[in-house]
Amino acid sequence: MKPPRIRWHILVFLAPALLVYTTIMIFPLFNTLRLALFDEVDQARVFVGLDNFRTLFGDPRWSASFWNALGNNFWFFVIHMLVQNPIGILLAAILSHPRLRFAALYRTAIFVPTILSFVIVGFAWKLILSPIWGIAPEMMDSVGLGDFFQPWLGLEGTALTTLALISVWQFVGIPLMLIYAALLSIPEEILEAGECDGITGAAAFWKIKLPLILPSIGIISILTFVGNFNAFDLIYAAQGALAGPDFSTDILGTFMYRTFFGFQLQLGDPHMGSAIASAMFAIILIGVCIYLFGIQTRLRRYQF
Amino acid sequence: MRLSKLGAGLLATTILGASAASAQDVTLTIESWRNDDLVLWQDVIIPAFEAQHPGINVEFTPSAPAEYNAVLNSKLDAGSAGDLITCRPFDASLALYENGHLADLSDLDAMGNFSPVAQSAWQTDDGSATFCVPMASVIHGFIYNAEAFRELGLEEPETVDDFFAVLDAIAEDGGYIPMAMGTADQWEAATMGYNNIGPNYWQGEEGRLGLIAGEQSLTDEQWVAPFRQLARWGDYLGRGFQAQTYPDSQNLFTLGRAAIYPAGSWEITGFNAQADFEMGAFPPPVPNDGDECYISDHTDIAIGLNAASPNAEAARSFLEWVGSEEFATIYANALPGFFSLSDFSVEMEDPLAQEFVSWREECQSTIRSTYQILSRGTPNLENETWNASAQVIRGAEAPEDAATRLQEGLASWYAPQQ
């Protein structure tokens, strides 16, 4: 028996990506986890074990901020799941209708916000919703709804939901595109076979197309989850690092940023910041594991 | 970089002759957050210095204000920071000094031109070392639309009751928003609200030092009363003030849509350029007729020496010049609203700036209550005060509750308050 030949070309082709990914992703990740176990005492870095996490979850102030941010983050995610993804699926279903005219135009128009920078989106919506210069108050006035206008971004009860909906507006193109691609890949024969059995129109969508795009919906859900729990930019661009009013729009990303880099007179604390970043990593890891082992393995896939 | 300063270079050569660009030239780089002042430094301040100091070139390289502290810290750690460092007041700069990034400047001759209060923002807690040369302070008060006041027959209010009478009169007329301020960015509520009107209640330095010493508490009447006044402000701010940002407020005022603007004197330059109506200013109204008045005359900006600078000698001669009367005059007139902290009596031409600085004669000066020592811990008193002031103005929190919350937060880490 010959010893198996080492296939060098595999190593060579893997090396660049592996190297880049290790230096800019894996190493910083583990370094952050490590940093969370240290603290600065008298300008020297000392190992403190899990003390930072004890402070984060045990100290009433820290834990109140943390749970507030986590709760807000969940609400942010829930809005995306309840609004963004159903709308994305609906739009994809409409767009994939063979008799729809200008489908490419709609597709592009809906996808364009996705490639805009968060800063532009945050700023544009702040202006649109501004009670002073915004077009929203006048538009609502012109249809007789002027009395219902509120400075939504400035009110504790509505600011987070408003921001979540802005984010939905920005990113609805992603589920749209993924579902659209999945819908297009469904062979005509299956739909025609369904027609022969009398399944047409809406019934065809619910009974044939939806089961076939479920894996895509699963992927979208997990992308939404990871994206939302890593979110930071939009809140920072629209509300600033203090995530006002009264921290009602504070999510884990802004909480971590404030702690890590400091804010105004608050000096940065890289160690507590790393502890929060580690907690974020754990939350996302748990979420992804639940999906991978609890849901994805149970999804039925069809081969055509 | 040197090529990009061709214009300044040409100017220098015309004055100094062709020998100016010889090989012994030292180039000093200034780190700053004042990117608004770039033109002023390049066209006025630096040429004035270079004319007297051949062989020293100065470059002003500012970064964005919100990023300055983080950018500066990374540059200092990496050893790539400029020779001269613009200093934030109190703890941010103190930390730089303690980490060995800023040199001790106590022995600089120019330090004699500054009072101990002016130096206090850039000293160690025991006052033994001063590490930045004070440049300017900003004064708080209210700027108003003088034409609107004339039109409505109003006068500058002296007392708090007068103040609300004026606001009521403007509200009743309906032509103007009584006061331009929003709570979206939060800091105006604390800086132009609480710390603007507060010193009249806590009697300036007496209250501020009492709080630091632990003799006074944030739940004492003199610290809660400013919140009570702020709670009444909400009714006089424009519709939707909850989502109104700082630039929104500035524009509302300079477009002539609002009559009164709770201000810091740094607004003067911008307002002079934007507003086409006559403006006036009044200091924060006192609670009762005849009370002594107090103003927030906040030490805001200074400049220090990077301890790792290879050009320390040249940098020191620049710092000596920053402490001189010539610099004080140039700076105060080029940037009306940034008032010299030196003991020289500086002549200023801008009427609004003159009005602001005249309050130093009538009233006692103090600095913002939260800046020295009290914002060292977590929760940070300054940041909490932003939140509390905004909450009180929005009516989301009662003045007493806000004060109690601040006191509990402070007492949780600050020993003299425990």
Side-chain angles (χ1 to χ4, degrees), chain A residues 43 61-62 126 129-133 137 141 146-147 149 151-156 236 239 242-247 261 263-267, chain B residues 69 92 95 98-99 186 239-240 242-245 248 251-252 255 257 370-371 375 377-380 382-383 386-387 391 394 396 408-409 412:
Chain A
Q43 292 172 35
R61 278 166 214 288
W62 279 102
K126 246 171 111 167
L129 296 175
S130 162
I132 302 157
W133 335 102
D141 259 341
D147 290 342
F149 178 81
W152 287 295
L153 283 174
L155 299 179
E156 242 176 279
Y236 183 72
Q239 306 291 78
L242 274 188
D246 196 25
F247 298 108
F261 295 102
F263 182 70
Q264 185 66 6
L265 296 194
Q266 171 88 60
L267 297 176
Chain B
N69 294 14
E98 283 174 345
N99 288 335
Q186 305 190 35
R239 183 187 178 205
Q242 296 94 333
Q244 182 176 326
T245 63
D248 286 344
N251 285 320
L252 273 183
L255 287 172
R257 281 171 59 178
T370 47
Y371 269 59
S375 287
T378 310
N380 184 287
E382 166 74 359
N383 295 3
W386 291 16
N387 177 293
Q391 286 283 86
R394 272 200 301 270
E408 280 169 4
S412 73

Side-chain angles (χ1 to χ4, degrees), chain A residues 37-262:
Chain A
L37 304 178
F38 286 81
D39 199 3
E40 194 172 301
V41 179
D42 296 331
Q43 292 172 35
R45 185 172 285 176
V46 291
F47 183 79
V48 293
L50 294 175
D51 265 6
N52 288 335
F53 292 96
R54 247 169 248 139
T55 312
L56 184 59
F57 298 109
D59 182 278
R61 278 166 214 288
W62 279 102
S63 65
S65 303
F66 179 81
W67 295 117
N68 171 52
L70 186 63
N72 289 341
N73 228 149
F74 260 107
W75 181 242
F76 199 66
F77 172 60
V78 166
I79 298 268
H80 279 79
M81 286 301 281
L82 291 183
V83 182
Q84 173 187 286
N85 296 348
I87 290 182
I89 295 167
L90 180 71
L91 288 174
I94 296 172
L95 282 181
S96 64
H97 196 279
R99 273 189 311 227
L100 182 77
R101 297 211 287 165
F102 309 122
L105 175 73
Y106 297 138
R107 209 173 53 209
T108 315
I110 295 169
F111 193 73
V112 159
T114 308
I115 58 174
L116 287 179
S117 127
F118 283 100
V119 180
I120 294 172
V121 171
F123 190 67
W125 275 98
K126 246 171 111 167
L127 271 183
I128 292 170
L129 296 175
S130 162
I132 302 157
W133 335 102
I135 53 164
E138 274 157 42
M139 279 174 69
M140 289 182 63
D141 259 341
S142 66
V143 290
L145 291 173
D147 290 342
F148 290 96
F149 178 81
Q150 295 284 324
W152 287 295
L153 283 174
L155 299 179
E156 242 176 279
T158 54
L160 182 63
T161 310
T162 310
L163 283 166
L165 292 174
I166 292 172
S167 172
V168 165
W169 171 85
Q170 187 182 4
F171 285 116
V172 76
I174 303 257
L176 164 74
M177 282 302 184
L178 287 169
I179 301 286
Y180 182 64
L183 284 173
L184 289 188
S185 71
I186 298 174
E188 279 297 308
E189 295 81 22
I190 296 182
L191 295 171
E192 279 164 14
E195 266 176 54
C196 294
D197 291 335
I199 304 171
T200 53
F205 177 78
W206 291 109
K207 294 195 168 146
I208 302 173
K209 290 179 179 173
L210 194 62
L212 290 175
I213 60 172
L214 266 185
S216 296
I217 294 176
I219 290 289
I220 288 162
S221 308
I222 202 67
L223 284 179
T224 310
F225 175 77
V226 174
N228 284 168
F229 276 81
N230 273 329
F232 160 75
D233 327 49
L234 181 68
I235 310 275
Y236 183 72
Q239 306 291 78
L242 274 188
D246 196 25
F247 298 108
S248 62
T249 56
D250 197 23
I251 57 173
L252 291 169
T254 44
F255 179 45
M256 194 274 283
Y257 174 86
R258 259 200 332 272
T259 311
F260 197 107
F261 295 102

Side-chain angles (χ1 to χ4, degrees), chain B residues 345-366:
Chain B
S345 63
V346 176
E347 289 290 321
M348 279 182 299
E349 281 154 25
D350 186 88
L352 210 51
Q354 279 173 356
E355 173 68 32
F356 267 92
V357 86
S358 71
W359 304 339
R360 279 183 178 167
E361 311 294 320
E362 308 153 19
C363 307
Q364 309 262 14
S365 291
T366 182

